[in-house]
Amino acid sequence: VQLQASGGGLVQAGGSLRLSCIDSGRISTRPARAWFRQAPGKEREFVAAISRSGGSTRYADSVKGRFTISRDNAKNIVTLQMNMLKPEDTAVYLCAADYQAILTSVPINRESYEFWGQGTLVTVSS
């Protein structure tokens, strides 16, 4: 299983970015997918997650209403649309996959995710 994240960059506050994560792993098994982020000197924190079916999602309170997670199971891609970005959104964003999740489960704790991508840097200037 290999997760490849892309789409990060530098954007002004109020702008938008779209992150993508391709899973080159087990095509026949769709894992729960999530995005976490880690800012310098801070703990890795949950951002958003989506169930194996794509029918359930969860968001951190800090991004609710601004970020949207979605998935294309045919292409094994998960995207994170980030709107109204704030300087406090600056972090390395990491995608993760949980192959043990049940169909409708949306884990938000990082311990549930056994596979991680390398991360993509998002910088929001004020």
Side-chain angles (χ1 to χ4, degrees):
V1 175
Q2 187 171 8
L3 302 177
Q4 183 71 37
S6 62
L10 173 65
V11 64
Q12 288 188 329
S16 298
L17 280 175
R18 186 178 180 88
L19 306 183
S20 295
C21 181
I22 297 175
D23 180 355
S24 62
R26 311 167 212 173
I27 305 300
S28 61
T29 305
R30 300 168 186 169
R33 304 284 294 275
W35 289 93
F36 288 75
R37 66 187 182 187
Q38 188 163 16
K42 294 188 177 181
E43 294 286 321
R44 186 172 299 184
E45 65 174 0
F46 169 75
V47 176
I50 189 166
S51 64
R52 289 174 56 195
S53 66
S56 300
T57 57
R58 294 183 70 177
Y59 296 91
D61 288 343
S62 58
V63 307
K64 206 171 290 184
R66 300 187 298 122
F67 291 10
T68 303
I69 188 170
S70 60
R71 66 188 299 160
D72 182 338
N73 284 334
K75 298 179 180 179
N76 258 12
I77 293 176
V78 169
T79 59
L80 184 69
Q81 178 65 44
M82 305 187 296
N83 299 326
M84 296 181 288
L85 283 161
K86 304 175 182 179
E88 50 264 43
D89 294 319
T90 295
V92 173
Y93 284 70
L94 305 105
C95 58
D98 176 6
Y99 279 87
Q100 304 301 317
I102 61 175
L103 188 62
T104 57
S105 175
V106 191
I108 65 170
N109 55 306
R110 61 186 183 183
E111 291 77 16
S112 293
Y113 292 88
E114 62 266 36
F115 296 102
W116 293 82
Q118 85 292 352
T120 184
L121 177 63
V122 171
T123 304
V124 185
S125 62
S126 57

